[in-house]
Amino acid sequence: MPLPRFTGSSSRRAFLKSVRNPFVVLCAGLGFAGLAVSGDAAVTYAPGPLLTIDVRQNRHQISPDIYGLSLTNADPALIAFAQDLQLPVLRLGGAQSTRYNWELDATNTGDDDFFFAGNGAASYSAAASVDNFVTSATNAGARTIVTIPMISRINNVPGNALDCSFPQSITPVQKAFRTRTPAIGAPVVAGNGRRNDTPGTPLPITGAVQAHIDSIHTDNTTDHQAAFVQYLINTHGTPLTLFQLDHEPSQWHVKHRDVQTAPIGFNELTTRSIAYATRIKEIDPEAQIIGPSDYGYPVIGGTAGGRIGDNFNTHGLPLAAYYLRAMSQASIAEGVLLLNYFDEHHFPAPATGGQPIAFAPAGNATTQAQRLASTRSLWDPTYTETGAVIRLIPRLRELVSTYFSNVPPDDSPKVALSAYNFGGLESVNGALAQADALGIFGREGLDLATLAAPPGPTQPGAFAFRIFRNYDGAGSAFGETSVRAASRNQAQLSVYAAERSTDGALTVVIVNKTANTVTSNLTLNGFKPGPRARVYRYSAANAGAIVSLGEWLTTPYGVVGSYAANSIYVLEIPNRNLL
């Protein structure tokens, strides 16, 4: 069927009025192929929200660093995945990095893994695991984030030995045990440091337990970490990495309770941060410093963080605000920016009584729906989580603007999420949430993000990254210049758009979060589309691939499209003026 011809403004208005209700368009038989409506006669189409793109508005560059991964080691499969998609940044971090001793190339795993100390490897060499990570990431074309420990005590068990903070031999009654066998020597039976009660009260750190913990740890100092930074620069060159000031310090008394028995206070954290950042900048003034890398909204917007000594009640500010003010004042005093990225972590919380979301499997239908809604916590002033309006990315920017007001905007800290996770990455549900988050990162102007606990390269969550970095298997990626894209109902269809510099194409990502095939009108303003758009889809119908749907015909004013249930679409619309 030929495309409609418009002979005057009245006919154009009539047509546009009709396509605002895609269901009417379908019933009127306006040419399914001609109007780029996909699907077949057996599918029941639901009318969807109007989607609007205006390439003249909200134009800004999308930082490529939002497409990053956070790893705990140089996993070959994930490094290869990063190289294939040209992911620009990889982070080496997590709770285990807090007590890493570079000279011994070993850490204490903390509460995450029964407080094992050392690696039990056949041999070790200084910083070998970090060297391997940095080399692998660099060969894959990525910059690296390396964590610099700031906690007062770090591991003192060499990488070729194995020990733990709460051995069964000292405390035979604990809540749980785990056994590991080193390459040389007897097995080590480690306890989780909790009494055998409900819910598992932490063991007191006294007597023989305290003596043993002291014996397998050593004092951390700025000199020790300065030597680590110097070693990395000498080995790998400069500028080498982004250096992260530890990991979630407000959780040290939980994850590392054997050496940090009380919550860290506001003054203690900022004093340490300034001292370590200053030493790093002395070694390399161009080094990029990331901090405080804490565990999310409770630290940013509430009283969590320091619960004893000096804290919210003392200072009248949440920890993140107090931290930024202190880092700003210290930067002015030192004459160098001591914080290049204001970084926090984000793990959405379940509804009261609900199943976990972050780091959790897909879950039931209620949890899956909540996961898809939880991405609104990144931006939406009408969305609440545990009773709080988070609007995380705008809030981070506002905090930087407030507390670094004396620094020119181009020189003030950028904003980052060096660890985030919406869960369900083994499922299409998780892939939808991940794609939605990546779209939001670009639209909202986030500067850096690395996904914690990333999926394997063949899992559904990995395809969310392919949607933005290589949707056709030939290197085609989402554009670099974000433009205004809006949906009248983002809970049904999310839409993100960007112009691509290499060919001038408009790339559009549409996420259908519903269980229905939805048909919607996509209107284009300020952009003259070519006659055909290339279309790709990821959905449960083929969870192992992004499928090409061929070409959809466009009109001068947009595209009417049908979007399958629980799916992600890419529309690559050429610029008519460049054809």
Side-chain angles (χ1 to χ4, degrees):
M1 176 178 177
L3 291 175
R5 294 181 178 272
F6 301 104
T7 57
S9 59
S10 61
S11 60
R12 175 185 174 186
R13 285 196 299 270
F15 173 76
L16 291 178
K17 182 178 180 180
S18 71
V19 298
R20 291 187 189 280
N21 188 335
F23 187 71
V24 172
V25 173
L26 290 171
C27 292
L30 289 180
F32 290 36
L35 287 178
V37 179
S38 66
D40 57 52
V43 176
T44 300
Y45 298 97
L50 176 67
L51 309 176
T52 304
I53 294 173
D54 192 332
V55 301
R56 301 163 299 188
Q57 297 187 42
N58 300 350
R59 295 179 65 87
H60 63 266
Q61 289 299 112
I62 296 174
S63 169
D65 290 339
I66 63 174
Y67 306 112
L69 302 180
S70 179
L71 310 179
T72 57
N73 57 66
D75 182 299
L78 287 172
I79 295 291
F81 173 69
Q83 183 171 15
D84 179 55
L85 298 190
Q86 299 180 45
L87 302 184
V89 61
L90 297 174
R91 171 182 179 249
L92 180 63
Q96 294 184 14
S97 64
T98 289
R99 280 190 267 178
Y100 178 71
N101 186 330
W102 72 276
E103 292 180 317
L104 303 179
D105 194 39
T107 189
N108 184 305
T109 60
D111 186 68
D112 284 357
D113 185 26
F114 289 77
F115 299 90
F116 277 109
N119 296 330
S123 62
Y124 80 94
S125 59
S129 59
V130 178
D131 282 341
N132 183 34
F133 180 86
V134 173
T135 299
S136 299
T138 301
N139 290 341
R143 295 192 300 158
T144 53
I145 300 172
V146 172
T147 303
I148 303 300
M150 295 195 305
I151 201 168
S152 60
R153 304 276 282 168
I154 56 175
N155 171 66
N156 199 34
V157 177
N160 64 340
L162 191 65
D163 210 321
C164 64
S165 291
F166 301 100
Q168 187 183 47
S169 58
I170 294 178
T171 309
V173 179
Q174 296 184 53
K175 187 72 173 178
F177 292 96
R178 180 172 295 173
T179 301
R180 287 177 57 188
T181 302
I184 301 172
V188 173
V189 183
N192 68 344
R194 295 184 179 275
R195 292 173 173 169
N196 189 22
D197 58 15
T198 301
T201 306
L203 289 173
I205 310 297
T206 58
V209 173
Q210 180 71 74
H212 181 72
I213 290 172
D214 288 344
S215 73
I216 63 172
H217 288 88
T218 188
D219 289 342
N220 188 23
T221 65
T222 56
D223 287 342
H224 180 85
Q225 299 305 333
F228 180 32
V229 171
Q230 188 66 67
Y231 168 85
L232 289 173
I233 291 174
N234 291 346
T235 304
H236 300 281
T238 181
L240 164 72
T241 61
L242 301 99
F243 294 104
Q244 187 160 39
L245 299 180
D246 218 296
H247 173 86
E248 298 184 358
S250 291
Q251 289 288 286
W252 285 350
H253 66 290
V254 177
K255 298 290 187 179
H256 307 284
R257 62 181 182 272
D258 51 336
V259 295
Q260 180 81 27
T261 56
I264 190 168
F266 285 20
N267 285 339
E268 183 181 0
L269 175 59
T270 54
T271 299
R272 290 191 195 185
S273 298
I274 292 166
Y276 281 86
T278 300
R279 289 300 301 274
I280 294 171
K281 290 286 188 174
E282 288 172 353
I283 296 168
D284 180 9
E286 301 303 317
Q288 300 287 289
I289 307 294
I290 299 177
S293 308
D294 228 321
Y295 70 97
Y297 178 77
V299 173
I300 301 169
T303 60
R307 300 179 188 275
I308 63 170
D310 73 295
N311 56 27
F312 179 88
N313 294 328
T314 304
H315 301 291
L317 290 172
L319 176 53
Y322 183 81
Y323 176 91
L324 283 172
R325 186 177 69 179
M327 294 299 280
S328 173
Q329 292 171 347
S331 295
I332 294 171
E334 294 291 332
V336 62
L337 188 64
L338 297 178
L339 185 69
N340 300 96
Y341 286 86
F342 174 41
D343 172 51
E344 294 291 354
H345 297 170
H346 184 54
F347 310 114
T352 302
Q355 295 179 329
I357 296 177
F359 302 109
N364 58 28
T366 300
T367 300
Q368 292 188 35
Q370 189 182 359
R371 174 174 292 110
L372 295 178
S374 70
T375 58
R376 293 168 56 195
S377 63
L378 294 168
W379 64 275
D380 190 348
T382 69
Y383 179 81
T384 61
E385 185 176 289
T386 61
V389 174
I390 298 176
R391 51 186 297 274
L392 183 62
I393 298 173
R395 187 184 296 271
L396 296 179
R397 290 203 170 282
E398 289 163 4
L399 283 166
V400 169
S401 177
T402 297
Y403 293 102
F404 277 81
S405 58
N406 292 330
V407 177
D410 290 343
D411 297 327
S412 64
K414 299 177 181 179
V415 293
L417 296 175
S418 70
Y420 71 94
N421 185 285
F422 288 89
L425 292 167
E426 83 295 344
S427 70
V428 171
N429 175 256
L432 299 180
Q434 181 61 40
D436 202 34
L438 292 176
I440 292 168
F441 292 165
R443 185 191 69 194
E444 296 296 319
L446 188 67
D447 295 301
L448 182 149
T450 56
L451 171 64
T458 61
Q459 289 186 297
F463 286 91
F465 283 86
R466 290 188 176 96
I467 283 288
F468 285 89
R469 300 296 292 177
N470 187 8
Y471 54 79
D472 64 354
S476 295
F478 192 64
E480 311 91 348
T481 302
S482 179
V483 299
R484 186 180 185 275
S487 168
R488 283 191 176 174
N489 188 340
Q490 189 153 316
Q492 292 182 332
L493 294 184
S494 295
V495 59
Y496 307 97
E499 285 188 329
R500 190 164 59 199
S501 60
T502 54
D503 58 1
L506 179 66
T507 55
V508 182
V509 170
I510 297 171
V511 183
N512 183 354
K513 304 175 185 177
T514 76
N516 301 309
T517 296
V518 174
T519 301
S520 282
N521 183 39
L522 172 68
T523 64
L524 300 175
N525 298 301
F527 185 86
K528 293 183 178 180
R532 292 175 177 82
R534 291 202 299 165
V535 182
Y536 300 84
R537 179 180 68 201
Y538 180 74
S539 70
N542 187 347
I546 297 172
V547 178
S548 171
L549 300 184
E551 293 183 332
W552 290 0
L553 298 182
T554 69
T555 76
Y557 313 106
V559 181
V560 177
S562 157
Y563 306 100
N566 297 307
S567 63
I568 311 167
Y569 281 71
V570 179
L571 277 62
E572 181 189 280
I573 307 173
N575 187 325
R576 183 182 294 271
N577 291 333
L578 299 179
L579 293 178

